[in-house]
Amino acid sequence: AQSVTQPDIHITVSEGASLELRCNYSYGATPYLFWYVQSPGQGLQLLLKYFSGDTLVQGIKGFEAEFKRSQSSFNLRKPSVHWSDAAEYFCAVGLNDYKLSFGAGTTVTVRA
Amino acid sequence: KAGVTQTPRYLIKTRGQQVTLSCSPISGHRSVSWYQQTPGQGLQFLFEYFSETQRNKGNFPGRFSGRQFSNSRSEMNVSTLELGDSALYLCASSLARGSSYNEQFFGPGTRLTVL
């Protein structure tokens, strides 16, 4: 079955430390890949996307993600976390049906 | 350019009532999608409209319906509300449909509470 998996429900990281959020997908073809962030009470903001080409993509707010076809993964990273990065992060995939399928989300807590 | 707007932002209804939510896409965007977000089920696709036609539909009962107007604004209707319909309803717009995927821009959502 087609699915998007975010293995980590909750991650706690110290301010200034690095962050990596995992995302794996199970689809027959390589889908379009996205990372969104949602702050409490807010909608979703697109951090970055991968359609094709360079497998390391840069996004907003200092985030980057790497697409690894062999591992069916699209992990999100940030070298140095700021307190404002505390939020919920969603990995999403899209096919040519214009329907996004989301992972369950990873909540990031940043401690001082 | 203004983002996706959704009205109202908050709604409280009782079981059995119906509700209509509104979404205005980014100017020039012609595709509007709706998603339901709940703690238990996460983010789930409801339907997508393009050029006033429903192009895609998720696995929701017929109580959930929508429409799109000629100016691309969209409404979503839920009839005979159930407690389980309490959720954040998110609208997303994208520029067009074509051979390549168009990224979706999300609104702030409408928080529906069913009592």
Short mmCIF file of all heavy atoms in Angstrom, two decimals, chain B residues 34-95:
data_model
loop_
_atom_site.label_atom_id
_atom_site.label_comp_id
_atom_site.label_asym_id
_atom_site.label_seq_id
_atom_site.Cartn_x
_atom_site.Cartn_y
_atom_site.Cartn_z
N TRP B 34 -9.09 20.60 -0.38
CA TRP B 34 -9.50 20.64 1.02
C TRP B 34 -8.93 19.43 1.75
O TRP B 34 -8.90 18.31 1.22
CB TRP B 34 -11.02 20.62 1.13
CG TRP B 34 -11.69 21.89 0.69
CD1 TRP B 34 -12.10 22.21 -0.57
CD2 TRP B 34 -12.05 23.00 1.52
NE1 TRP B 34 -12.69 23.46 -0.58
CE2 TRP B 34 -12.67 23.96 0.69
CE3 TRP B 34 -11.92 23.27 2.88
CZ2 TRP B 34 -13.15 25.18 1.19
CZ3 TRP B 34 -12.40 24.48 3.37
CH2 TRP B 34 -13.00 25.42 2.53
N TYR B 35 -8.50 19.68 3.00
CA TYR B 35 -7.96 18.63 3.84
C TYR B 35 -8.59 18.73 5.23
O TYR B 35 -8.89 19.81 5.71
CB TYR B 35 -6.44 18.76 3.99
CG TYR B 35 -5.68 18.53 2.70
CD1 TYR B 35 -5.53 19.56 1.77
CD2 TYR B 35 -5.12 17.30 2.41
CE1 TYR B 35 -4.84 19.35 0.59
CE2 TYR B 35 -4.42 17.08 1.23
CZ TYR B 35 -4.29 18.11 0.33
OH TYR B 35 -3.60 17.90 -0.83
N GLN B 36 -8.74 17.58 5.86
CA GLN B 36 -9.21 17.53 7.24
C GLN B 36 -8.04 17.11 8.13
O GLN B 36 -7.32 16.16 7.80
CB GLN B 36 -10.34 16.50 7.39
CG GLN B 36 -10.92 16.42 8.78
CD GLN B 36 -11.72 15.15 9.00
OE1 GLN B 36 -11.20 14.04 8.92
NE2 GLN B 36 -13.01 15.32 9.28
N GLN B 37 -7.85 17.80 9.23
CA GLN B 37 -6.77 17.46 10.15
C GLN B 37 -7.35 17.16 11.52
O GLN B 37 -7.99 18.03 12.13
CB GLN B 37 -5.73 18.57 10.25
CG GLN B 37 -4.53 18.20 11.13
CD GLN B 37 -3.48 19.28 11.17
OE1 GLN B 37 -3.76 20.46 10.96
NE2 GLN B 37 -2.24 18.88 11.42
N THR B 38 -7.14 15.96 12.02
CA THR B 38 -7.56 15.57 13.36
C THR B 38 -6.40 14.91 14.07
O THR B 38 -5.50 14.35 13.43
CB THR B 38 -8.74 14.56 13.31
OG1 THR B 38 -8.31 13.39 12.59
CG2 THR B 38 -9.95 15.16 12.62
N PRO B 39 -6.40 14.93 15.40
CA PRO B 39 -5.32 14.28 16.15
C PRO B 39 -5.22 12.79 15.85
O PRO B 39 -4.13 12.23 15.82
CB PRO B 39 -5.69 14.54 17.61
CG PRO B 39 -6.54 15.76 17.57
CD PRO B 39 -7.31 15.66 16.29
N GLY B 40 -6.34 12.15 15.63
CA GLY B 40 -6.33 10.70 15.44
C GLY B 40 -5.97 10.26 14.04
O GLY B 40 -5.24 9.29 13.85
N GLN B 41 -6.49 10.95 13.05
CA GLN B 41 -6.30 10.55 11.65
C GLN B 41 -5.28 11.40 10.90
O GLN B 41 -4.91 11.06 9.78
CB GLN B 41 -7.64 10.62 10.90
CG GLN B 41 -8.71 9.72 11.47
CD GLN B 41 -8.32 8.26 11.39
OE1 GLN B 41 -7.82 7.80 10.37
NE2 GLN B 41 -8.53 7.52 12.48
N GLY B 42 -4.81 12.45 11.51
CA GLY B 42 -3.83 13.29 10.84
C GLY B 42 -4.45 14.10 9.72
O GLY B 42 -5.62 14.47 9.78
N LEU B 43 -3.67 14.35 8.70
CA LEU B 43 -4.12 15.16 7.57
C LEU B 43 -4.64 14.23 6.47
O LEU B 43 -3.92 13.38 5.97
CB LEU B 43 -2.96 15.98 7.01
CG LEU B 43 -2.64 17.25 7.77
CD1 LEU B 43 -1.16 17.60 7.61
CD2 LEU B 43 -3.50 18.40 7.24
N GLN B 44 -5.89 14.44 6.11
CA GLN B 44 -6.49 13.60 5.08
C GLN B 44 -7.11 14.46 4.00
O GLN B 44 -7.78 15.46 4.27
CB GLN B 44 -7.56 12.70 5.69
CG GLN B 44 -7.01 11.66 6.66
CD GLN B 44 -8.09 10.73 7.13
OE1 GLN B 44 -8.96 11.09 7.91
NE2 GLN B 44 -8.06 9.49 6.63
N PHE B 45 -6.91 14.02 2.76
CA PHE B 45 -7.41 14.72 1.59
C PHE B 45 -8.92 14.53 1.47
O PHE B 45 -9.42 13.41 1.57
CB PHE B 45 -6.70 14.17 0.36
CG PHE B 45 -7.24 14.66 -0.95
CD1 PHE B 45 -6.90 15.91 -1.43
CD2 PHE B 45 -8.08 13.87 -1.70
CE1 PHE B 45 -7.39 16.35 -2.65
CE2 PHE B 45 -8.58 14.29 -2.92
CZ PHE B 45 -8.23 15.54 -3.39
N LEU B 46 -9.63 15.64 1.28
CA LEU B 46 -11.07 15.58 1.09
C LEU B 46 -11.44 15.60 -0.39
O LEU B 46 -12.06 14.68 -0.90
CB LEU B 46 -11.74 16.76 1.80
CG LEU B 46 -11.96 16.60 3.30
CD1 LEU B 46 -12.08 17.96 3.97
CD2 LEU B 46 -13.20 15.77 3.58
N PHE B 47 -11.12 16.69 -1.07
CA PHE B 47 -11.37 16.80 -2.50
C PHE B 47 -10.61 17.96 -3.10
O PHE B 47 -10.08 18.80 -2.38
CB PHE B 47 -12.87 16.94 -2.84
CG PHE B 47 -13.72 17.58 -1.79
CD1 PHE B 47 -13.54 18.89 -1.38
CD2 PHE B 47 -14.74 16.86 -1.18
CE1 PHE B 47 -14.33 19.46 -0.42
CE2 PHE B 47 -15.55 17.41 -0.21
CZ PHE B 47 -15.34 18.72 0.17
N GLU B 48 -10.58 17.97 -4.42
CA GLU B 48 -9.90 19.02 -5.18
C GLU B 48 -10.83 19.51 -6.28
O GLU B 48 -11.50 18.71 -6.94
CB GLU B 48 -8.61 18.52 -5.80
CG GLU B 48 -7.81 19.63 -6.52
CD GLU B 48 -7.44 19.29 -7.95
OE1 GLU B 48 -7.57 18.12 -8.36
OE2 GLU B 48 -7.00 20.20 -8.67
N TYR B 49 -10.83 20.83 -6.45
CA TYR B 49 -11.62 21.45 -7.50
C TYR B 49 -10.73 22.24 -8.44
O TYR B 49 -9.77 22.89 -8.01
CB TYR B 49 -12.68 22.38 -6.91
CG TYR B 49 -13.82 21.63 -6.27
CD1 TYR B 49 -13.74 21.20 -4.96
CD2 TYR B 49 -14.95 21.33 -7.01
CE1 TYR B 49 -14.77 20.49 -4.39
CE2 TYR B 49 -15.99 20.62 -6.44
CZ TYR B 49 -15.90 20.20 -5.13
OH TYR B 49 -16.91 19.49 -4.56
N PHE B 50 -11.07 22.16 -9.68
CA PHE B 50 -10.39 22.94 -10.71
C PHE B 50 -11.40 23.31 -11.77
O PHE B 50 -12.17 22.44 -12.23
CB PHE B 50 -9.24 22.13 -11.33
CG PHE B 50 -8.48 22.86 -12.38
CD1 PHE B 50 -7.53 23.82 -12.05
CD2 PHE B 50 -8.71 22.60 -13.73
CE1 PHE B 50 -6.83 24.50 -13.01
CE2 PHE B 50 -8.00 23.28 -14.71
CZ PHE B 50 -7.06 24.23 -14.35
N SER B 51 -11.41 24.59 -12.14
CA SER B 51 -12.38 25.06 -13.12
C SER B 51 -13.80 24.63 -12.79
O SER B 51 -14.54 24.10 -13.63
CB SER B 51 -12.00 24.56 -14.54
OG SER B 51 -10.82 25.16 -14.97
N GLU B 52 -14.15 24.82 -11.54
CA GLU B 52 -15.51 24.59 -11.04
C GLU B 52 -15.93 23.12 -11.07
O GLU B 52 -17.12 22.81 -10.89
CB GLU B 52 -16.52 25.43 -11.83
CG GLU B 52 -16.23 26.93 -11.78
CD GLU B 52 -17.19 27.75 -12.63
OE1 GLU B 52 -18.39 27.72 -12.35
OE2 GLU B 52 -16.72 28.40 -13.59
N THR B 53 -15.00 22.23 -11.27
CA THR B 53 -15.30 20.80 -11.33
C THR B 53 -14.49 20.04 -10.29
O THR B 53 -13.30 20.30 -10.13
CB THR B 53 -14.99 20.24 -12.74
OG1 THR B 53 -15.74 20.96 -13.71
CG2 THR B 53 -15.33 18.76 -12.82
N GLN B 54 -15.14 19.12 -9.62
CA GLN B 54 -14.41 18.27 -8.69
C GLN B 54 -13.58 17.28 -9.50
O GLN B 54 -14.10 16.49 -10.28
CB GLN B 54 -15.36 17.51 -7.78
CG GLN B 54 -14.65 16.74 -6.66
CD GLN B 54 -15.63 15.97 -5.78
OE1 GLN B 54 -15.91 14.80 -6.02
NE2 GLN B 54 -16.15 16.65 -4.78
N ARG B 55 -12.25 17.30 -9.26
CA ARG B 55 -11.36 16.47 -10.06
C ARG B 55 -10.88 15.25 -9.31
O ARG B 55 -10.44 14.28 -9.92
CB ARG B 55 -10.13 17.29 -10.48
CG ARG B 55 -10.45 18.55 -11.23
CD ARG B 55 -11.04 18.29 -12.60
NE ARG B 55 -11.38 19.50 -13.31
CZ ARG B 55 -11.15 19.70 -14.61
NH1 ARG B 55 -10.58 18.75 -15.33
NH2 ARG B 55 -11.51 20.83 -15.17
N ASN B 56 -10.95 15.31 -8.00
CA ASN B 56 -10.42 14.22 -7.20
C ASN B 56 -11.14 14.23 -5.86
O ASN B 56 -11.52 15.30 -5.36
CB ASN B 56 -8.91 14.42 -6.99
CG ASN B 56 -8.18 13.13 -6.73
OD1 ASN B 56 -8.79 12.10 -6.43
ND2 ASN B 56 -6.86 13.17 -6.85
N LYS B 57 -11.33 13.05 -5.28
CA LYS B 57 -12.06 12.96 -4.03
C LYS B 57 -11.41 11.93 -3.13
O LYS B 57 -10.97 10.88 -3.59
CB LYS B 57 -13.51 12.54 -4.31
CG LYS B 57 -14.44 12.66 -3.12
CD LYS B 57 -15.86 12.30 -3.51
CE LYS B 57 -16.88 12.65 -2.44
NZ LYS B 57 -16.56 12.12 -1.12
N GLY B 58 -11.35 12.24 -1.85
CA GLY B 58 -10.81 11.32 -0.86
C GLY B 58 -11.90 10.39 -0.34
O GLY B 58 -13.03 10.39 -0.81
N ASN B 59 -11.54 9.61 0.66
CA ASN B 59 -12.45 8.61 1.21
C ASN B 59 -13.28 9.17 2.35
O ASN B 59 -13.07 8.84 3.52
CB ASN B 59 -11.67 7.38 1.67
CG ASN B 59 -11.01 6.68 0.53
OD1 ASN B 59 -11.55 6.58 -0.57
ND2 ASN B 59 -9.80 6.19 0.76
N PHE B 60 -14.19 10.04 2.03
CA PHE B 60 -15.08 10.62 3.01
C PHE B 60 -16.52 10.35 2.58
O PHE B 60 -16.82 10.21 1.40
CB PHE B 60 -14.83 12.13 3.13
CG PHE B 60 -13.65 12.48 3.99
CD1 PHE B 60 -12.37 12.45 3.46
CD2 PHE B 60 -13.82 12.82 5.32
CE1 PHE B 60 -11.27 12.76 4.25
CE2 PHE B 60 -12.74 13.12 6.11
CZ PHE B 60 -11.46 13.09 5.59
N PRO B 61 -17.43 10.30 3.57
CA PRO B 61 -18.85 10.04 3.22
C PRO B 61 -19.45 11.20 2.44
O PRO B 61 -18.91 12.31 2.40
CB PRO B 61 -19.52 9.88 4.59
CG PRO B 61 -18.60 10.53 5.56
CD PRO B 61 -17.22 10.39 5.02
N GLY B 62 -20.60 10.92 1.85
CA GLY B 62 -21.27 11.89 1.02
C GLY B 62 -21.74 13.13 1.76
O GLY B 62 -22.12 14.13 1.14
N ARG B 63 -21.70 13.08 3.11
CA ARG B 63 -22.06 14.27 3.89
C ARG B 63 -21.10 15.43 3.62
O ARG B 63 -21.41 16.58 3.87
CB ARG B 63 -22.04 13.96 5.39
CG ARG B 63 -22.98 12.86 5.82
CD ARG B 63 -22.97 12.72 7.34
NE ARG B 63 -21.68 12.31 7.89
CZ ARG B 63 -20.85 13.11 8.54
NH1 ARG B 63 -21.19 14.39 8.75
NH2 ARG B 63 -19.70 12.66 9.03
N PHE B 64 -19.93 15.10 3.13
CA PHE B 64 -18.93 16.11 2.81
C PHE B 64 -19.03 16.43 1.32
O PHE B 64 -18.91 15.55 0.47
CB PHE B 64 -17.53 15.59 3.12
CG PHE B 64 -17.26 15.41 4.58
CD1 PHE B 64 -17.68 14.27 5.25
CD2 PHE B 64 -16.58 16.39 5.29
CE1 PHE B 64 -17.44 14.11 6.60
CE2 PHE B 64 -16.32 16.23 6.65
CZ PHE B 64 -16.75 15.09 7.31
N SER B 65 -19.26 17.68 1.04
CA SER B 65 -19.37 18.09 -0.36
C SER B 65 -18.73 19.46 -0.53
O SER B 65 -18.40 20.13 0.45
CB SER B 65 -20.84 18.15 -0.79
OG SER B 65 -21.54 19.12 -0.03
N GLY B 66 -18.55 19.83 -1.75
CA GLY B 66 -17.94 21.12 -2.00
C GLY B 66 -18.34 21.66 -3.36
O GLY B 66 -19.07 21.01 -4.12
N ARG B 67 -17.89 22.85 -3.60
CA ARG B 67 -18.09 23.43 -4.93
C ARG B 67 -17.08 24.54 -5.14
O ARG B 67 -16.46 25.04 -4.19
CB ARG B 67 -19.51 23.97 -5.09
CG ARG B 67 -19.91 25.04 -4.10
CD ARG B 67 -21.32 25.53 -4.41
NE ARG B 67 -21.80 26.49 -3.42
CZ ARG B 67 -22.92 27.19 -3.59
NH1 ARG B 67 -23.64 27.06 -4.69
NH2 ARG B 67 -23.31 28.03 -2.66
N GLN B 68 -16.92 24.90 -6.38
CA GLN B 68 -16.00 25.99 -6.72
C GLN B 68 -16.73 26.94 -7.65
O GLN B 68 -17.45 26.51 -8.56
CB GLN B 68 -14.73 25.45 -7.37
CG GLN B 68 -13.68 26.53 -7.61
CD GLN B 68 -12.43 26.01 -8.28
OE1 GLN B 68 -12.50 25.10 -9.12
NE2 GLN B 68 -11.27 26.55 -7.93
N PHE B 69 -16.49 28.20 -7.43
CA PHE B 69 -17.15 29.22 -8.23
C PHE B 69 -16.24 29.68 -9.37
O PHE B 69 -15.06 29.35 -9.41
CB PHE B 69 -17.55 30.39 -7.33
CG PHE B 69 -18.46 29.98 -6.20
CD1 PHE B 69 -17.93 29.67 -4.95
CD2 PHE B 69 -19.83 29.88 -6.39
CE1 PHE B 69 -18.75 29.28 -3.91
CE2 PHE B 69 -20.65 29.49 -5.35
CZ PHE B 69 -20.13 29.18 -4.11
N SER B 70 -16.80 30.50 -10.25
CA SER B 70 -16.05 30.93 -11.43
C SER B 70 -14.85 31.79 -11.07
O SER B 70 -13.89 31.88 -11.84
CB SER B 70 -16.97 31.70 -12.39
OG SER B 70 -17.54 32.82 -11.74
N ASN B 71 -14.86 32.41 -9.90
CA ASN B 71 -13.70 33.20 -9.47
C ASN B 71 -12.70 32.35 -8.68
O ASN B 71 -11.80 32.88 -8.04
CB ASN B 71 -14.16 34.39 -8.62
CG ASN B 71 -14.87 33.98 -7.35
OD1 ASN B 71 -15.05 32.78 -7.11
ND2 ASN B 71 -15.26 34.94 -6.55
N SER B 72 -12.88 31.03 -8.70
CA SER B 72 -12.01 30.03 -8.05
C SER B 72 -12.24 29.90 -6.55
O SER B 72 -11.68 28.98 -5.94
CB SER B 72 -10.51 30.28 -8.33
OG SER B 72 -10.24 30.10 -9.69
N ARG B 73 -13.02 30.76 -5.97
CA ARG B 73 -13.36 30.60 -4.56
C ARG B 73 -14.10 29.28 -4.38
O ARG B 73 -14.81 28.82 -5.27
CB ARG B 73 -14.22 31.74 -4.07
CG ARG B 73 -14.43 31.78 -2.56
CD ARG B 73 -15.26 33.00 -2.15
NE ARG B 73 -16.65 32.91 -2.59
CZ ARG B 73 -17.61 32.30 -1.90
NH1 ARG B 73 -17.33 31.69 -0.76
NH2 ARG B 73 -18.83 32.29 -2.37
N SER B 74 -13.89 28.67 -3.22
CA SER B 74 -14.49 27.36 -2.99
C SER B 74 -15.21 27.33 -1.65
O SER B 74 -14.83 28.05 -0.71
CB SER B 74 -13.41 26.28 -3.03
OG SER B 74 -13.94 24.99 -2.74
N GLU B 75 -16.22 26.52 -1.58
CA GLU B 75 -16.92 26.27 -0.33
C GLU B 75 -16.96 24.77 -0.07
O GLU B 75 -17.02 23.96 -1.01
CB GLU B 75 -18.35 26.80 -0.38
CG GLU B 75 -18.47 28.30 -0.32
CD GLU B 75 -19.91 28.78 -0.34
OE1 GLU B 75 -20.82 27.98 -0.62
OE2 GLU B 75 -20.12 29.98 -0.07
N MET B 76 -16.93 24.44 1.19
CA MET B 76 -17.07 23.06 1.60
C MET B 76 -18.26 22.97 2.54
O MET B 76 -18.43 23.82 3.41
CB MET B 76 -15.80 22.61 2.33
CG MET B 76 -15.73 21.13 2.58
SD MET B 76 -14.42 20.70 3.72
CE MET B 76 -15.38 20.56 5.21
N ASN B 77 -19.07 21.97 2.37
CA ASN B 77 -20.26 21.79 3.19
C ASN B 77 -20.22 20.43 3.87
O ASN B 77 -19.85 19.43 3.25
CB ASN B 77 -21.51 21.92 2.31
CG ASN B 77 -22.78 21.84 3.11
OD1 ASN B 77 -23.30 20.76 3.37
ND2 ASN B 77 -23.29 22.99 3.52
N VAL B 78 -20.59 20.44 5.13
CA VAL B 78 -20.74 19.17 5.84
C VAL B 78 -22.16 19.14 6.39
O VAL B 78 -22.55 20.05 7.15
CB VAL B 78 -19.73 19.00 6.99
CG1 VAL B 78 -19.82 17.59 7.57
CG2 VAL B 78 -18.32 19.29 6.52
N SER B 79 -22.92 18.15 6.03
CA SER B 79 -24.30 18.04 6.51
C SER B 79 -24.36 17.02 7.64
O SER B 79 -23.46 16.19 7.81
CB SER B 79 -25.21 17.61 5.36
OG SER B 79 -24.82 16.33 4.88
N THR B 80 -25.42 17.11 8.40
CA THR B 80 -25.67 16.19 9.52
C THR B 80 -24.38 15.94 10.31
O THR B 80 -23.84 14.83 10.37
CB THR B 80 -26.22 14.84 8.99
OG1 THR B 80 -27.16 15.07 7.94
CG2 THR B 80 -26.91 14.10 10.11
N LEU B 81 -23.92 16.98 10.93
CA LEU B 81 -22.64 16.92 11.63
C LEU B 81 -22.61 15.85 12.71
O LEU B 81 -23.60 15.62 13.42
CB LEU B 81 -22.34 18.28 12.26
CG LEU B 81 -21.86 19.36 11.30
CD1 LEU B 81 -21.92 20.73 11.97
CD2 LEU B 81 -20.45 19.06 10.81
N GLU B 82 -21.44 15.22 12.81
CA GLU B 82 -21.19 14.24 13.86
C GLU B 82 -20.03 14.74 14.72
O GLU B 82 -19.24 15.58 14.30
CB GLU B 82 -20.83 12.89 13.23
CG GLU B 82 -21.90 12.33 12.33
CD GLU B 82 -21.50 11.03 11.66
OE1 GLU B 82 -20.36 10.57 11.90
OE2 GLU B 82 -22.32 10.47 10.90
N LEU B 83 -19.95 14.19 15.95
CA LEU B 83 -18.88 14.61 16.85
C LEU B 83 -17.50 14.41 16.19
O LEU B 83 -16.60 15.24 16.38
CB LEU B 83 -18.94 13.83 18.16
CG LEU B 83 -20.18 14.05 19.03
CD1 LEU B 83 -20.11 13.18 20.27
CD2 LEU B 83 -20.32 15.52 19.40
N GLY B 84 -17.36 13.36 15.43
CA GLY B 84 -16.09 13.05 14.79
C GLY B 84 -15.70 14.00 13.68
O GLY B 84 -14.58 13.92 13.17
N ASP B 85 -16.59 14.91 13.33
CA ASP B 85 -16.27 15.90 12.30
C ASP B 85 -15.50 17.07 12.87
O ASP B 85 -15.04 17.95 12.12
CB ASP B 85 -17.54 16.41 11.62
CG ASP B 85 -18.30 15.31 10.89
OD1 ASP B 85 -17.66 14.34 10.46
OD2 ASP B 85 -19.54 15.44 10.77
N SER B 86 -15.37 17.11 14.19
CA SER B 86 -14.56 18.16 14.81
C SER B 86 -13.13 18.05 14.32
O SER B 86 -12.49 17.00 14.45
CB SER B 86 -14.59 18.02 16.34
OG SER B 86 -15.89 18.25 16.83
N ALA B 87 -12.64 19.11 13.74
CA ALA B 87 -11.33 19.06 13.10
C ALA B 87 -10.91 20.44 12.66
O ALA B 87 -11.70 21.39 12.72
CB ALA B 87 -11.37 18.14 11.88
N LEU B 88 -9.67 20.52 12.21
CA LEU B 88 -9.19 21.71 11.51
C LEU B 88 -9.32 21.41 10.02
O LEU B 88 -8.78 20.42 9.54
CB LEU B 88 -7.73 22.00 11.87
CG LEU B 88 -7.10 23.23 11.22
CD1 LEU B 88 -7.76 24.51 11.73
CD2 LEU B 88 -5.60 23.27 11.47
N TYR B 89 -10.04 22.24 9.32
CA TYR B 89 -10.23 22.05 7.88
C TYR B 89 -9.35 23.05 7.14
O TYR B 89 -9.49 24.26 7.30
CB TYR B 89 -11.70 22.21 7.50
CG TYR B 89 -12.53 21.07 8.01
CD1 TYR B 89 -13.09 21.10 9.29
CD2 TYR B 89 -12.69 19.92 7.26
CE1 TYR B 89 -13.82 20.03 9.78
CE2 TYR B 89 -13.41 18.83 7.74
CZ TYR B 89 -13.96 18.90 9.01
OH TYR B 89 -14.66 17.82 9.51
N LEU B 90 -8.46 22.50 6.35
CA LEU B 90 -7.47 23.31 5.65
C LEU B 90 -7.78 23.35 4.16
O LEU B 90 -8.12 22.34 3.55
CB LEU B 90 -6.08 22.72 5.85
CG LEU B 90 -5.53 22.78 7.28
CD1 LEU B 90 -4.35 21.84 7.45
CD2 LEU B 90 -5.12 24.21 7.62
N CYS B 91 -7.64 24.52 3.62
CA CYS B 91 -7.80 24.73 2.20
C CYS B 91 -6.42 25.02 1.62
O CYS B 91 -5.60 25.69 2.26
CB CYS B 91 -8.76 25.89 1.97
SG CYS B 91 -8.80 26.53 0.29
N ALA B 92 -6.17 24.53 0.43
CA ALA B 92 -4.90 24.79 -0.24
C ALA B 92 -5.18 25.17 -1.69
O ALA B 92 -6.06 24.60 -2.32
CB ALA B 92 -3.99 23.57 -0.19
N SER B 93 -4.42 26.11 -2.20
CA SER B 93 -4.58 26.48 -3.60
C SER B 93 -3.29 26.26 -4.36
O SER B 93 -2.19 26.31 -3.80
CB SER B 93 -5.06 27.92 -3.74
OG SER B 93 -4.00 28.86 -3.55
N SER B 94 -3.44 25.97 -5.63
CA SER B 94 -2.28 25.86 -6.50
C SER B 94 -2.61 26.50 -7.84
O SER B 94 -3.78 26.69 -8.19
CB SER B 94 -1.83 24.41 -6.67
OG SER B 94 -2.86 23.62 -7.20
N LEU B 95 -1.56 26.78 -8.58
CA LEU B 95 -1.70 27.64 -9.74
C LEU B 95 -2.58 27.02 -10.81
O LEU B 95 -3.52 27.64 -11.31
CB LEU B 95 -0.32 27.94 -10.32
CG LEU B 95 -0.26 28.97 -11.44
CD1 LEU B 95 -0.81 30.31 -10.97
CD2 LEU B 95 1.18 29.15 -11.92
#
